[in-house]
Amino acid sequence: ISHVITQITVIREFINVFAGNEIIVGVLISLWLLLTGFGAYAGRYIRSHLLQSLIFRGSLFVVAILPIIHIVLIRSLKNLLFARGELPGLEALILWSTMLLLPYCIITGGLLTVACTIMPTKAGPRRSIGTVYFFDNIGDILGGVLFTFLLVHYFNNLEILYIPSLLCLVAFLLTQRRGMHTSFLRITAVAAILALFLVFPLDTASLTWLYPHQEVAQYDESPYGRLVVTKERGQTSFFENGEHLFSTPNIRASEEMVHFALPQIEKIDSVLLVSGGIAGLIDEILKYD
């Protein structure tokens, strides 16, 4: 459940930051499958049962935190690595995406292989592998349904990732060895992490890094992208998926769009305006009798 929700959400964040560029989807899915497969292959070389158990438990904790770090890095590094307004080429995109996705994909891929090995079963290793893959597919389906019909409609990308993070942290606690003292410490640590996520305004803080020298007045996410409204020196600007739509007041741009066209008409009875009303075009149109 955690993996598929994280995959969709991280890809959505890339799209929201890079102007809805569909090429990013193909690149990220390809890298995700490749790196996860490599992690699953590498997991076969972990033979020690004790090491497998430690890696399995520790990885659950790590993959609970990594997706949230992904979102923060995508937002904070975009304007540092690329010029503002630039859509990166394939080489830069593949290099950056690989470095970002590598830890999570390697760990989650290895987790699947390790789970097949450490799962106890009386029917032998083949039955164990089949059982793990069966529940893995069930988790993918549940994660996709949960994201499509619930999470994407009511939460932004960072808030969505709190759900798989919580699932992984709970799994981390459930798979620990018994011991009152250590269990109390682990539960306290997990509770502290969750409280930090919920209390600290990480979403707003990280979003402002994408719009330096501007005040983020309002933002919202729909299933189709992110809308952001910023203010700077009395001017309000609107962005969709990181791409600038328009600013207001922008009298010069509004005058050019209206007054090159309407003076060519002798008598104006009515005007059909398709979009742009909020940008100030209506004020210019109303100057005509």
Side-chain angles (χ1 to χ4, degrees):
I1 295 175
S2 168
H3 185 265
V4 71
I5 291 177
T6 299
Q7 183 184 48
I8 299 172
T9 305
V10 170
I11 291 176
R12 270 174 54 88
E13 185 64 30
F14 267 100
I15 293 175
N16 289 349
V17 170
F18 289 104
N21 188 356
E22 293 88 350
I23 297 177
I24 292 176
V25 178
V27 171
L28 291 178
I29 291 179
S30 300
L31 287 174
W32 206 293
L33 294 174
L34 180 66
L35 296 175
T36 304
F38 181 76
Y41 184 80
R44 64 184 293 189
Y45 294 103
I46 305 173
R47 302 298 174 87
S48 168
H49 185 75
L50 177 60
L51 184 59
Q52 289 172 342
S53 299
L54 290 175
I55 289 177
F56 185 81
R57 297 186 183 106
S59 296
L60 286 173
F61 184 84
V62 174
V63 298
I65 309 300
L66 274 179
I68 296 174
I69 297 177
H70 283 164
I71 299 297
V72 174
L73 289 178
I74 292 170
R75 295 178 181 180
S76 61
L77 295 180
K78 195 261 183 179
N79 288 332
L80 293 177
L81 298 178
F82 309 104
R84 293 184 63 187
E86 172 192 6
L87 286 178
L90 279 179
E91 294 181 0
L93 179 62
I94 291 174
L95 179 61
W96 186 40
S97 302
T98 301
M99 294 176 61
L100 194 68
L101 300 179
L102 185 65
Y104 182 87
C105 291
I106 292 293
I107 293 174
T108 52
L111 267 174
L112 185 64
T113 305
V114 171
C116 292
T117 307
I118 67 175
M119 180 178 176
T121 176
K122 296 179 180 180
R126 290 184 179 273
R127 183 65 179 271
S128 173
I129 294 173
T131 303
V132 170
Y133 268 83
F134 172 77
F135 282 106
D136 181 56
N137 288 324
I138 292 297
D140 287 341
I141 294 172
L142 290 176
V145 170
L146 184 63
F147 182 91
T148 302
F149 295 104
L150 178 63
L151 299 180
V152 73
H153 297 284
Y154 298 103
F155 304 100
N156 59 50
N157 287 343
L158 198 58
E159 292 171 344
I160 288 174
L161 288 181
Y162 292 160
I163 306 299
S165 177
L166 177 61
L167 292 175
C168 289
L169 290 175
V170 170
F172 167 74
L173 293 176
L174 292 176
T175 56
Q176 299 306 302
R177 293 179 177 178
R178 301 294 179 184
M180 183 175 296
H181 180 66
T182 55
S183 296
F184 176 76
L185 291 178
R186 292 189 179 101
I187 293 174
T188 303
V190 169
I193 291 172
L194 291 176
L196 180 62
F197 287 165
L198 296 175
V199 173
F200 183 72
L202 186 59
D203 189 50
T204 305
S206 58
L207 197 61
T208 57
W209 299 334
L210 286 172
Y211 305 94
H213 312 298
Q214 301 177 72
E215 174 195 353
V216 177
Q218 183 71 32
Y219 67 95
D220 200 2
E221 291 190 29
S222 74
Y224 315 104
R226 177 188 296 139
L227 294 172
V228 179
V229 182
T230 67
K231 291 186 176 182
E232 180 188 10
R233 299 179 182 178
Q235 188 175 65
T236 304
S237 300
F238 293 76
F239 297 85
E240 181 183 18
N241 289 336
E243 186 175 14
H244 179 256
L245 298 178
F246 59 88
S247 297
T248 181
N250 189 351
I251 298 176
R252 178 176 178 180
S254 299
E255 288 179 340
E256 289 179 352
M257 295 189 69
V258 173
H259 301 310
F260 283 145
L262 294 188
Q264 301 181 51
I265 303 173
E266 293 184 2
K267 183 179 180 182
I268 301 175
D269 294 320
S270 60
V271 175
L272 172 63
L273 176 63
V274 182
S275 182
I278 196 174
L281 300 187
I282 292 178
D283 292 335
E284 299 301 319
I285 291 173
L286 290 178
K287 291 180 179 180
Y288 294 84
D289 186 11

